[in-house]
Amino acid sequence: MKCSVPKGTRDFLPIEMARRNYIFDTIRGVFRAFAFEPIETPALENLSTLMGKYGEEGDKLLFKVLNSGNFMEGVDFADDYHRVAPRICDRGLRYDLTVPFARFVVQHRDQLTFPFRRYQLQPVWRADRPQKGRYREFYQCDADMIGSPSLLNELELVQMADMVFARLGIRVVMKINNRKVLAGIAELIGAPDKIVDITVAIDKLDKIGHDGVIAELRDRGLTDGQIEALQPVLALNGTATEKLDQLEKTFAAVEVGLKGVAELRELFGYIQSVGTQCQVELDLTLARGLNYYTGAIFEVKALDVQMGSILGGGRYDNLTGIFGMPDVSGVGISFGADRIYDVLTELDKFPANLEQSAQVLFINFGAASLPYILSCAARLRAAGVSTLVYPDNAKMKKQMEFANRSHVPFVVFIGEDEMRDNTLTVKNMAEGTQQTTTLDDLLKTLTV
Amino acid sequence: MKCSVPKGTRDFLPIEMARRNYIFDTIRGVFRAFAFEPIETPALENLSTLMGKYGEEGDKLLFKVLNSGNFMEGVDFADDYHRVAPRICDRGLRYDLTVPFARFVVQHRDQLTFPFRRYQLQPVWRADRPQKGRYREFYQCDADMIGSPSLLNELELVQMADMVFARLGIRVVMKINNRKVLAGIAELIGAPDKIVDITVAIDKLDKIGHDGVIAELRDRGLTDGQIEALQPVLALNGTATEKLDQLEKTFAAVEVGLKGVAELRELFGYIQSVGTQCQVELDLTLARGLNYYTGAIFEVKALDVQMGSILGGGRYDNLTGIFGMPDVSGVGISFGADRIYDVLTELDKFPANLEQSAQVLFINFGAASLPYILSCAARLRAAGVSTLVYPDNAKMKKQMEFANRSHVPFVVFIGEDEMRDNTLTVKNMAEGTQQTTTLDDLLKTLTV
């Protein structure tokens, strides 16, 4: 029988667990410093909670769970499979942490104190085509605040991202945009349905130049008049503040655009006031998650590695509306733990000695010394020292090989002398030295 | 739209997360002290990995995940639904952590050092009928050692269980049996297929008395001769050692039974040598997991609460055999985190103040004091103090209500005086006192 995991899923070995936990602990520590509280939602959600929230493509990528019992009863299998699937599946696997969070807020609104900040570190599932850096089962690390329109929330998310990547030692650039500015641009040129086409084209300015962008805009169906109206946006340059000044003039009477400029101005003002370690840029081509973002849009990229974004986020003014609780504004960020893992690996930035394996191994010489060994081991373990007793009275060579391969730093030998004198002979495996000591002294060495 | 989670699944609010993490951290701490290393396996496994490993009933209780794309192609839906399901589902949700671990060991054998000890804290899914204390999505906390037949492994599992429940403050009894003894009894009376019937009947000895048990054994199809041969087992009494002495005589030449007695003798010898805080009993009626246990069988029950077992485990000599890697002996235990949660709740044994909410809240008086507040907050957060700045310049009453409902212990007020003097006015919410202090002093109070 062939042993394997499903395509796009992974096992995590102890060393990988240690590295992943290093990332999770760093993120969790920052979330807690900013007073976010942990919640968890079930992996299984009602399919009705998930369907229609991620677009048509998203509905296809939902993993659907077959009903138990006779799922076939009363179902017409001559119908199209798209229509059959939701009839034989009432539940699906969580696709992200945002929609379940919205459902959670509505369901538990009476138990929560608003503004409410929660964080959530859990796996999500997508039936995407697996490829390098894209998995079907992967972890998201989300922090959202809900119930306050203040831009101080946006500031704190920027600070949190900055703190996490500084602590992980990853040099990054944070890009910020605002959906209202994008809406303003579309309104300005009279092409409200072309936001995505416009941003995709503008995004290539560095690569294909001004004329290239114009050609692309024309390919994407913009009229000459619209392209002409877009000129001031294409010509934007300078610092964030300078760009915002130019935009404000360009928008003139486009209200939504001016609101976006004002929000960005306030946010960049805060950011300059507190300062960040990472680069923060205004990027008018940033358009991720247009489905539900209504204000700020965030994205972080690593500077020293070629990799997609390692954080995304934004403000959504009406996420809980889909579950019947309107007018609750939220803003959040999501760290891509798997990509951060890949970045740290590529940069070789994981701390050494992360793996928590045994610190002490007692060599097993058979029944005579066992009671003595077990009582020493019990004391070490009670003090939290990771301790192994080799379980079998195997040949010394085999036991030492095990010690070497397991990277145990201290190996203890107990013979008649040690039992008589109430001592231990301890070999320091890194230094190759050996000395006789007491349990108390060993404990002190190990728990300092 | 109605907001709910699927039957048998749950959301966890921050207070529940804090309590669950208290249990997980306690268990994890003990696992680490005994040098177990963490691994994780995917929630999704190939259905071929899971099917046929949990009996016919288990196959039915597996959550199966519908294939993506046109799952209907080439499938005959006129067939029985039991046969259709595995044709339209290649993957299923993990049913326990043991079978995935066996698969993991076989798949990664070349990367592991044996004897290998792993722990794993992950959810599992079963399409069981939900009821009090039984969920469809729940967490298991497993520790297994694989690749060593030594009974020292069994001893360490007993010690670990003992340490966990002592640390959680739950008084428990640990019951131990051995599959070989059960096999010996069945052989002794010539009814090898009746092990379960025999143990179920004997288990009722306290409730229905000697004659009741005999009547039940007869109902379950045992002959008078078999019941007669079972008499010495029914008459067993005394300490573990005394029972083992009687059993040894009874078994006379039943080899497998004698082997079981010898194993139990060795294990109880070790346990007596190291001592435990909990009661440890030999229980010949314990027969859980007969499907794959081959040696020791463990179970823990709380003494002060009516509840099913809160830990189970045992030795399985050939678990990896199903994946083509024979002769690797393993032994493990599994903590039932959800039931432990219920026990601690019922006994009111959760430590107070587990919830990690904000320690400090800065009242928001508007733009003038914001830069000062943000710089104070940044310093507290960098030091790991969970800090909130109220995001909106709301009425004082509203902000203080928020502080009360969120149980924030310290509320900070910044006015002109504080900014001029570089101080903070801090209200201790528990004591109702208020004093003006410096950031350094506040930091010292909070990080001691």
Side-chain angles (χ1 to χ4, degrees):
Chain A
M1 179 173 201
K2 200 177 143 262
C3 266
S4 63
V5 294
K7 222 170 24 163
T9 72
R10 294 158 292 168
D11 286 325
F12 298 110
L13 292 159
I15 178 65
E16 292 160 337
M17 287 294 294
R19 288 181 179 158
R20 288 166 62 80
N21 283 333
Y22 165 69
I23 296 170
F24 291 141
D25 290 345
T26 303
I27 293 173
R28 206 182 276 120
V30 171
F31 285 171
R32 285 190 177 154
F34 282 78
F36 285 72
E37 297 190 88
I39 70 157
E40 281 186 10
T41 60
L44 290 174
E45 290 273 359
N46 291 319
L47 213 45
S48 57
T49 300
L50 304 175
M51 294 281 279
K53 311 302 189 299
Y54 307 103
E56 218 173 293
E57 191 56 21
D59 281 353
K60 283 188 206 154
L61 299 184
L62 286 171
F63 276 114
K64 301 170 186 76
V65 175
L66 194 65
N67 294 341
S68 16
N70 187 355
F71 62 92
M72 287 166 60
E73 216 176 316
V75 177
D76 175 12
F77 286 91
D79 205 344
D80 183 76
Y81 75 91
H82 285 117
R83 276 187 296 274
V84 170
R87 281 184 216 140
I88 60 175
C89 299
D90 293 337
R91 288 154 303 215
L93 291 175
R94 182 171 56 217
Y95 182 87
D96 72 358
L97 302 179
T98 310
V99 168
F101 173 56
R103 196 261 313 138
F104 175 98
V105 167
V106 176
Q107 192 175 331
H108 303 284
R109 64 219 279 183
D110 297 334
Q111 292 154 276
L112 305 177
T113 304
F114 294 93
F116 178 62
R117 339 184 125 198
R118 82 87 173 78
Y119 71 85
Q120 196 170 349
L121 277 63
Q122 289 193 279
V124 301
W125 292 267
R126 295 181 187 180
D128 241 325
R129 222 165 60 84
Q131 50 180 263
K132 190 177 176 295
R134 191 199 285 166
Y135 304 99
R136 289 184 156 177
E137 174 172 337
F138 59 98
Y139 270 77
Q140 290 193 335
C141 309
D142 281 25
D144 291 78
M145 36 256 275
I146 195 154
S148 157
S150 167
L151 291 172
L152 281 179
N153 296 308
E154 272 83 342
L155 168 69
E156 293 196 346
L157 294 175
V158 170
Q159 290 185 290
M160 285 160 65
D162 187 45
M163 197 185 261
V164 165
F165 292 115
R167 287 186 178 179
L168 292 176
I170 302 176
R171 296 196 322 126
V172 298
V173 55
M174 169 166 259
K175 296 177 177 192
I176 301 183
N177 198 5
N178 191 299
R179 168 67 187 266
K180 296 188 180 82
V181 168
L182 294 177
I185 293 172
E187 195 180 316
L188 183 73
I189 67 170
D193 57 329
K194 294 282 188 207
I195 294 189
V196 173
D197 292 295
I198 296 169
T199 52
V200 167
I202 301 183
D203 193 28
K204 298 183 180 164
L205 199 54
D206 286 346
K207 267 191 226 150
I208 60 178
H210 189 269
D211 291 350
V213 169
I214 286 172
E216 171 136 3
L217 287 168
R218 197 167 287 132
D219 283 353
R220 286 171 177 270
L222 270 78
T223 65
D224 285 350
Q226 290 170 335
I227 291 172
E228 182 59 33
L230 198 60
Q231 288 306 327
V233 177
L234 292 178
L236 286 180
N237 61 58
T239 65
T241 315
E242 287 163 358
K243 281 183 187 166
L244 290 172
D245 289 343
Q246 295 160 47
L247 259 182
E248 193 171 344
K249 273 185 218 141
T250 308
F251 280 139
V254 179
E255 226 171 283
V256 63
L258 290 175
K259 181 84 172 63
V261 169
E263 286 183 9
L264 283 171
R265 234 188 250 291
E266 183 177 345
L267 178 54
F268 272 91
Y270 289 146
I271 294 170
Q272 272 145 27
S273 152
V274 299
T276 54
Q277 300 196 46
C278 73
Q279 251 174 269
V280 181
E281 283 176 7
L282 173 62
D283 181 352
L284 293 173
T285 68
L286 185 63
R288 50 179 305 135
L290 271 185
N291 285 341
Y292 47 80
Y293 291 140
T294 53
I297 306 173
F298 304 112
E299 183 173 278
V300 170
K301 286 195 169 188
L303 285 175
D304 305 314
V305 179
Q306 278 291 27
M307 180 88 62
S309 66
I310 52 178
L311 175 144
R315 178 171 288 272
Y316 36 88
D317 271 342
N318 198 20
L319 191 73
T320 58
I322 48 176
F323 297 112
M325 183 179 171
D327 303 325
V328 182
S329 190
V331 57
I333 49 174
S334 180
F335 288 84
D338 296 284
R339 283 193 180 162
I340 293 173
Y341 187 101
D342 292 342
V343 169
L344 287 171
T345 304
E346 212 163 305
L347 296 176
D348 198 13
K349 287 269 193 182
F350 280 112
N353 307 320
L354 271 180
E355 200 174 356
Q356 284 156 319
S357 52
Q359 292 176 270
V360 178
L361 169 71
F362 284 86
I363 296 294
N364 187 330
F365 288 108
S369 52
L370 216 40
Y372 184 85
I373 285 177
L374 291 175
S375 106
C376 294
R379 270 204 58 206
L380 290 170
R381 285 164 170 165
V385 176
S386 185
T387 303
L388 272 176
V389 177
Y390 197 87
D392 307 283
N393 181 7
K395 289 214 177 84
M396 181 69 145
K397 183 161 173 267
K398 189 175 177 191
Q399 296 191 46
M400 289 307 287
E401 267 173 21
F402 173 84
N404 277 317
R405 274 195 288 171
S406 311
H407 308 291
V408 182
F410 298 99
V411 174
V412 181
F413 306 87
I414 303 294
E416 281 173 23
D417 293 353
E418 286 81 2
M419 289 195 276
R420 186 194 57 222
D421 305 338
N422 204 20
T423 58
L424 306 86
T425 295
V426 180
K427 179 163 185 178
N428 181 323
M429 298 293 280
E431 298 174 9
T433 56
Q434 189 164 311
Q435 63 171 19
T436 298
T437 179
T438 64
L439 185 59
D440 283 334
D441 282 343
L442 178 62
L443 205 46
K444 260 181 235 154
T445 317
L446 291 168
T447 51
V448 162
Chain B
M1 180 175 199
K2 200 177 144 260
C3 266
S4 63
V5 294
K7 221 172 22 163
T9 72
R10 294 159 292 167
D11 285 325
F12 298 110
L13 292 159
I15 178 66
E16 292 161 337
M17 286 295 293
R19 289 181 177 157
R20 289 167 63 80
N21 282 334
Y22 164 70
I23 296 170
F24 291 141
D25 290 345
T26 303
I27 293 173
R28 207 182 277 120
V30 171
F31 285 172
R32 284 191 177 152
F34 282 77
F36 284 72
E37 296 190 88
I39 70 158
E40 281 185 9
T41 61
L44 290 174
E45 291 274 357
N46 291 318
L47 214 46
S48 57
T49 300
L50 304 175
M51 294 281 279
K53 310 303 189 299
Y54 307 103
E56 220 173 291
E57 191 55 22
D59 281 352
K60 282 187 205 152
L61 299 183
L62 286 171
F63 276 115
K64 299 169 188 77
V65 175
L66 194 65
N67 293 342
S68 15
N70 187 355
F71 61 91
M72 289 166 61
E73 213 176 318
V75 178
D76 175 12
F77 286 91
D79 206 344
D80 183 77
Y81 74 90
H82 284 117
R83 274 187 297 273
V84 171
R87 279 183 219 143
I88 60 175
C89 299
D90 293 337
R91 288 153 303 213
L93 291 174
R94 182 171 55 215
Y95 182 87
D96 72 359
L97 302 179
T98 310
V99 168
F101 173 55
R103 196 259 316 137
F104 175 97
V105 167
V106 177
Q107 192 174 330
H108 303 284
R109 64 220 279 185
D110 296 334
Q111 291 154 278
L112 305 176
T113 304
F114 295 94
F116 177 62
R117 339 185 125 198
R118 83 86 173 78
Y119 72 85
Q120 197 169 349
L121 277 63
Q122 289 193 281
V124 301
W125 292 268
R126 295 181 187 180
D128 241 325
R129 220 165 60 84
Q131 52 180 264
K132 189 176 176 293
R134 193 200 282 164
Y135 304 99
R136 288 183 158 177
E137 175 171 338
F138 60 99
Y139 269 76
Q140 291 194 334
C141 310
D142 282 24
D144 292 79
M145 38 253 277
I146 195 153
S148 156
S150 166
L151 292 172
L152 281 179
N153 296 308
E154 273 83 341
L155 169 68
E156 293 195 345
L157 294 175
V158 170
Q159 290 185 291
M160 285 160 65
D162 187 45
M163 196 185 262
V164 165
F165 292 114
R167 287 187 177 178
L168 292 175
I170 303 176
R171 296 197 322 127
V172 298
V173 55
M174 169 164 257
K175 297 176 177 192
I176 301 182
N177 197 4
N178 191 298
R179 168 68 188 265
K180 296 189 181 81
V181 167
L182 293 176
I185 294 172
E187 195 180 317
L188 183 72
I189 67 170
D193 57 328
K194 294 283 187 206
I195 294 190
V196 173
D197 292 294
I198 295 169
T199 53
V200 168
I202 301 182
D203 192 29
K204 297 183 180 165
L205 199 54
D206 286 345
K207 269 191 226 151
I208 59 178
H210 190 268
D211 291 350
V213 169
I214 285 172
E216 170 136 5
L217 287 169
R218 199 167 285 131
D219 282 355
R220 287 171 177 270
L222 269 78
T223 65
D224 286 350
Q226 289 171 336
I227 291 172
E228 181 58 33
L230 198 59
Q231 288 306 325
V233 177
L234 291 178
L236 286 180
N237 63 58
T239 64
T241 314
E242 287 162 358
K243 281 183 186 166
L244 291 173
D245 289 344
Q246 295 160 48
L247 258 183
E248 192 171 345
K249 273 186 217 134
T250 308
F251 280 139
V254 178
E255 227 171 282
V256 64
L258 290 175
K259 181 81 172 62
V261 169
E263 286 183 9
L264 283 170
R265 232 188 250 292
E266 184 176 343
L267 178 53
F268 273 91
Y270 288 145
I271 293 171
Q272 273 144 28
S273 152
V274 298
T276 55
Q277 299 197 44
C278 73
Q279 252 173 269
V280 181
E281 284 176 6
L282 172 62
D283 181 352
L284 293 174
T285 70
L286 185 64
R288 50 180 305 133
L290 271 185
N291 286 342
Y292 47 78
Y293 291 141
T294 52
I297 305 173
F298 303 112
E299 183 173 278
V300 169
K301 287 195 168 186
L303 284 175
D304 306 313
V305 178
Q306 279 290 30
M307 180 87 63
S309 64
I310 52 179
L311 174 145
R315 179 172 288 272
Y316 35 88
D317 271 342
N318 198 20
L319 190 73
T320 58
I322 48 177
F323 297 112
M325 184 181 171
D327 303 323
V328 182
S329 189
V331 58
I333 50 174
S334 180
F335 288 84
D338 296 284
R339 284 192 179 162
I340 293 172
Y341 187 101
D342 292 342
V343 168
L344 287 171
T345 304
E346 212 164 304
L347 296 176
D348 197 15
K349 287 270 193 182
F350 279 113
N353 308 319
L354 271 180
E355 200 174 354
Q356 285 156 319
S357 52
Q359 292 176 269
V360 178
L361 170 71
F362 284 86
I363 296 294
N364 186 332
F365 288 106
S369 51
L370 216 40
Y372 185 85
I373 285 178
L374 291 176
S375 108
C376 293
R379 269 204 59 206
L380 290 171
R381 287 163 170 165
V385 176
S386 184
T387 303
L388 271 176
V389 177
Y390 197 87
D392 307 284
N393 182 7
K395 289 215 176 85
M396 181 69 144
K397 183 160 173 267
K398 189 175 178 192
Q399 296 191 46
M400 289 307 287
E401 266 173 20
F402 174 84
N404 277 318
R405 275 195 288 170
S406 311
H407 308 292
V408 182
F410 297 98
V411 174
V412 181
F413 306 87
I414 303 294
E416 281 174 23
D417 292 354
E418 285 81 3
M419 287 194 279
R420 185 193 58 222
D421 304 337
N422 205 18
T423 57
L424 305 88
T425 294
V426 180
K427 179 164 186 177
N428 180 326
M429 298 293 280
E431 298 174 10
T433 56
Q434 189 164 311
Q435 64 170 17
T436 297
T437 179
T438 64
L439 185 59
D440 282 335
D441 283 343
L442 178 62
L443 206 45
K444 261 181 233 152
T445 317
L446 291 168
T447 51
V448 161

